[in-house]
Amino acid sequence: VRPDATKPTVVSTTPAAGAGNIALTPTITMVVDDASGVASNRMVMKISNVTAFSNGTNRAGFTGALVRVGATGFSLSVTRVAGFGNLTTITVSASVRDLITNTRSTNWSFTTAPPVLTLTVASVSTNRIVWAWADTVSGESNYRVYYTSTAFTNLVAGSTAWTQRGISPNTP
């Protein structure tokens, strides 16, 4: 009898490797299978170098589910609670071991969509303008306001309005 030397198979990953314009709070899923069975307590998933799932448990800051698929496989889904903020390339590295101790490691990456910022003019007077927006991103450190390619000011993270005073009625 020959020993089983076959590593587990990664059946699918979501988002797919190379996918683009993915939401900032994606659920990342890996489906694995192996003829001898997958050791669910020997699965590890790291997302951009942060351990999200290890040894049967979601780590702090992550939610998810480990679901049996058929008699010998599992689907592992993980979501980062706070989303990915300004991180645009997400790299996932995972490893899974079967019941015989054969290990498969895999890596893939995808890119997130830039946040959509809807800027509105909240009010205008003869020497002042107030711009407003919704803060749709988490994890940012600040905002920068530019005028004709020159940084005008820095705003703290979470800001939703900015007022510029001292402008003339003919300011472009």
Side-chain angles (χ1 to χ4, degrees), residues 1-26:
V1 175
R2 291 178 19 187
D4 175 5
T6 305
K7 296 177 181 182
T9 300
V10 176
V11 177
S12 65
T13 59
T14 306
N21 289 324
I22 304 299
L24 290 172
T25 55

Side-chain angles (χ1 to χ4, degrees), residues 7-14 17 28-32 43-47 76 91-97 103-109:
K7 296 177 181 182
T9 300
V10 176
V11 177
S12 65
T13 59
T14 306
I28 300 168
T29 302
M30 176 179 70
V31 178
V32 295
M43 296 176 72
V44 176
M45 183 182 285
K46 289 185 177 184
I47 302 172
L76 172 59
T91 302
V92 181
S93 56
S95 66
V96 58
R97 192 163 78 179
T103 301
R104 165 83 61 194
S105 295
T106 188
N107 298 292
W108 75 97
S109 62

Side-chain angles (χ1 to χ4, degrees), residues 36-101:
S36 67
V38 172
S40 62
N41 64 339
R42 294 293 184 220
M43 296 176 72
V44 176
M45 183 182 285
K46 289 185 177 184
I47 302 172
S48 294
N49 294 320
V50 176
T51 301
F53 184 90
S54 180
N55 299 328
T57 305
N58 290 305
R59 296 301 184 207
F62 294 89
T63 61
L66 181 63
V67 177
R68 181 165 288 287
V69 176
T72 58
F74 282 94
S75 173
L76 172 59
S77 297
V78 174
T79 302
R80 186 170 178 199
V81 174
F84 289 102
N86 295 331
L87 196 58
T88 55
T89 299
I90 309 301
T91 302
V92 181
S93 56
S95 66
V96 58
R97 192 163 78 179
D98 67 14
L99 298 176
I100 308 298
T101 71

